[in-house]
Structure formats: C-alpha cells, structure tokens
C-alpha cells in the first residue's frame, strides 16, 4: 500500500443502477457523488476493473489538503456493492480507512447527516455487502431518510421516490452531504463531524 497520508480516497455512492431507481430514497448516495463529480469537473465512465462507474480527480483546496479521489457508483445493485467496491479499492491501492460510503439511513430524520467510521450495517444491504467484502473499518456518510409511515414496508419505502415535500429541500441536503464529504477528505473525520453531524 502507498503511504496512507498521500493515498487516494475512494468515495462510493450507494444506489441501484437504472432510470427507474434514479430518484429513489435508496439512491441518495448516487445523487451525492453525482454532485461531487460536477464539482470536480468529471464525467462518470465505466471502470476497467470493476462493475462500476468512476470519475477520477482532485478534491480540496490547493496545497497539502488537496487529495486524489475516485468517485464511484457500483452498477451491481445495492445488495452486491461489496464486490465492485473491493475491486476498485484494490485497483487504485486505496487503504480501507480512505473508503467512504455515502448512503441512505432509516434511523435518522430526513436530511440529517451523521459521519462515522466503522460500526454495524443497521440492516442496510449495501453496507452489509461492503462489510462482508472488506471489513467494517471504512467511513460512512449517513444521509437520513426517516422511517416509513404507518405500516409501509421498509423495502417499499426505500425504493420509492422522495415525496414532493421532501423534494423541496432535497437539493439543499444533497449539497450539504457533498460538502461534508469534501470536509472529511480535506480535514478529517473529527472536523467533519463537528461541522456536519446535526
């Protein structure tokens, strides 16, 4: 492995491929990495060594905090995310501590962010697959989507689009989540947590 301080970062948005899933709650990870790709001026292309789309670029202010990053969207469906993520990690020689999963989180209110490293998967199939493939010691940017209303099943809820009320604030929350990723990469977890964990 390369020297960890100078090693690249792999920022993975979790979601499902295909237009029918694009606006689902479960795809908020894709939304965040799409915005990050716009910010670094990159276009997603098929990865050579993994079932994923990737953008390579640099993130952060000029100088020592400027980092090489690989933004990725696994194209394997959520519950198989671990395979593509591990293949990308190995291909780009990214230490697991520099892997960031951006994902939807049921147990947090809509739009609230929580950043952490390690921990359980809380029933999230994308995290479950990643942890099985490479251990749990990667960063997570958890984007709150809240619990399903009434008796709606969790699987139905996460595979539905954001409601019209939620959509009014979605761009703002996605923007804030993208900011938190940039802060994490440039300034570290503690700084990002104090600025963005609400």
């Amino acid at each position: 492995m390369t020297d960890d301080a100078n090693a690249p970062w792999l920022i993975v948005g979790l979601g499902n491929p295909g237009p029918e899933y694009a606006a689902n709650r479960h795809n908020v990870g894709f939304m965040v990495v799409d915005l990050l790709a716009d910010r670094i001026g990159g276009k997603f292309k098929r990865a050579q060594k993994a079932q994923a789309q990737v953008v390579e670029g640099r993130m952060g202010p000029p100088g020592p905090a400027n980092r090489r990053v690989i933004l990725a969207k696994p194209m394997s469906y959520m519950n198989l995310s671990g395979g593509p993520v591990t293949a990308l990690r190995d291909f780009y020689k990214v230490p697991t501590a520099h892997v960031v999963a951006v994902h939807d989180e049921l147990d947090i209110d809509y739009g609230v962010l929580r950043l952490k490293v390690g921990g359980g998967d809380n029933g999230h199939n994308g995290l479950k697959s990643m942890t099985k493939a490479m251990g749990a010691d990667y960063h997570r940017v958890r984007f709150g989507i809240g619990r399903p209303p009434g008796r709606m099943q969790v699987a139905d809820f996460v595979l539905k689009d954001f409601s019209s009320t939620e959509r009014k604030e979605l761009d703002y929350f996605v923007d804030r989540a993208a900011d938190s990723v940039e802060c994490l990469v440039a300034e570290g977890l503690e700084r990002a947590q104090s600025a963005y964990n609400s």
Side-chain angles (χ1 to χ4, degrees):
M1 283 289 172
T2 48
D3 167 34
D4 275 11
N6 297 314
W9 286 75
L10 174 61
I11 298 153
V12 181
L14 293 180
N16 287 307
E20 68 273 33
Y21 297 107
N24 288 180
R25 293 182 178 93
H26 223 17
N27 270 43
V28 75
F30 276 17
M31 297 173 198
V32 174
V33 293
D34 281 340
L35 178 57
L36 288 166
D38 285 346
R39 290 183 181 183
I40 66 173
K43 290 247 183 295
F44 279 97
K45 61 183 192 302
R46 261 182 63 193
Q48 293 176 324
K49 302 288 182 184
Q51 192 181 359
Q53 290 186 346
V54 294
V55 172
E56 294 178 59
R58 300 199 72 87
M59 185 180 282
N66 190 262
R67 302 274 186 250
R68 181 169 170 238
V69 295
I70 300 97
L71 306 174
K73 297 192 288 188
M75 292 286 120
S76 57
Y77 291 99
M78 183 69 87
N79 58 353
L80 299 171
S81 301
V85 175
T86 306
L88 291 170
R89 180 198 64 173
D90 294 348
F91 178 71
Y92 288 105
K93 299 181 169 54
V94 177
T96 301
H98 278 205
V99 176
V100 182
V102 185
H103 64 91
D104 57 306
E105 178 64 63
L106 285 160
D107 284 339
I108 304 175
D109 289 341
Y110 174 60
V112 172
L113 293 176
R114 291 269 194 282
L115 286 76
K116 69 173 190 171
V117 67
D121 57 57
N122 204 18
H124 192 290
N125 288 331
L127 296 180
K128 197 176 291 182
S129 178
M130 282 181 62
T131 298
K132 188 175 175 188
M134 63 183 193
D137 296 330
Y138 54 91
H139 287 85
R140 297 101 188 276
V141 174
R142 304 155 72 207
F143 186 113
I145 60 168
R147 302 293 308 183
R151 296 176 177 225
M152 187 188 287
Q153 294 295 311
V154 164
D156 295 332
F157 179 70
V158 299
L159 293 176
K160 279 205 169 17
D161 291 358
F162 286 101
S163 70
S164 55
T165 308
E166 288 169 335
R167 281 199 296 274
K168 289 176 183 153
E169 294 182 294
L170 183 59
D171 287 350
Y172 168 75
F173 289 140
V174 168
D175 197 62
R176 195 164 177 274
D179 291 346
S180 78
V181 172
E182 291 179 341
C183 183
L184 169 63
V185 168
E187 301 182 55
L189 179 62
E190 283 185 21
R191 175 80 187 88
Q193 284 175 324
S194 67
Y196 293 98
N197 277 15
S198 31

